[in-house]
Each structure stands twice: as structure tokens, then as C-alpha cells.
Amino acid sequence: MRFAIITKDKDGALQVRLNNREAHLAYIKDTGVVEMAGPFLNQSGEMHGSMIILDVADFAAAQAWADNDPYAKAGLFEKVRIEEWKKVIG
């Protein structure tokens, strides 16, 4: 099943994101369940959130993945939304 994880960073947390980016990218690679991912950019071109598409067994697996993301463990996010997602195009 595919799930979209949509996050919004806390205001002023860009440095937290930058400090944990390498660990986050390694987590994506090591877990092997991410189909696509990338940051949202604000009007200044700075990262301020993310969208990650996972292919996992169920919602619980998506939630566990999100909870163990180094960004989440560092307290980067103001909001995290997880939705089952159906790929139609692409």
C-alpha cells in the first residue's frame, strides 16, 4: 500500500532540518520503502516541509516509519499528516 507523509516544519527550524538531513537521507535509503520524496520550498527557496511516498504493508507501518524518521526524532515538525495514496499517473 502507498502512503503519503506530508509534513510542515516548525517556524524557524531550518537549522534543525539541515543538522539532521544526512541522517534523514540515510534513513530513506536504508529502509528501502520510499518511492519518492522531497522538500517543500517557501518563497525564499528554503525547505520548510516534506512529502514522502512510502510503499508499506499498512497504516501502522507508515506511522512507524514516520515516527522513526530522524527529522521527527529531532523535533523538526509542527505537523505530520499520513494518508493512504493511490497512484494514478506516473
Side-chain angles (χ1 to χ4, degrees), residues 7-8 10 19 23 27 30-31 45 47 52-55 64 67 70 75 78 85-86:
T7 69
K8 180 182 183 314
K10 292 177 182 172
N19 291 347
Y27 180 66
D30 293 346
T31 57
M47 298 176 283
I52 302 165
I53 304 297
L54 303 178
D55 188 0
D67 291 345
E78 176 183 310
W85 183 72
K86 180 180 178 181

Side-chain angles (χ1 to χ4, degrees), residues 4-80:
I5 300 174
I6 302 160
T7 69
K8 180 182 183 314
D9 295 0
K10 292 177 182 172
D11 288 339
L14 179 58
Q15 194 59 51
V16 173
R17 177 178 278 273
L18 295 174
N19 291 347
N20 292 279
R21 186 166 172 76
E22 192 172 308
H24 167 74
L25 294 174
Y27 180 66
I28 286 174
K29 182 180 177 187
D30 293 346
T31 57
V33 296
V34 176
E35 288 193 354
M36 67 178 82
F40 294 115
L41 304 177
N42 64 20
Q43 291 178 333
S44 300
E46 296 173 333
M47 298 176 283
H48 70 103
S50 301
M51 184 172 76
I52 302 165
I53 304 297
L54 303 178
D55 188 0
V56 294
D58 53 27
F59 183 87
Q63 183 69 63
W65 191 96
D67 291 345
N68 286 294
D69 180 352
Y71 280 166
K73 288 183 173 189
L76 173 63
F77 303 129
E78 176 183 310
K79 263 196 235 184
V80 176

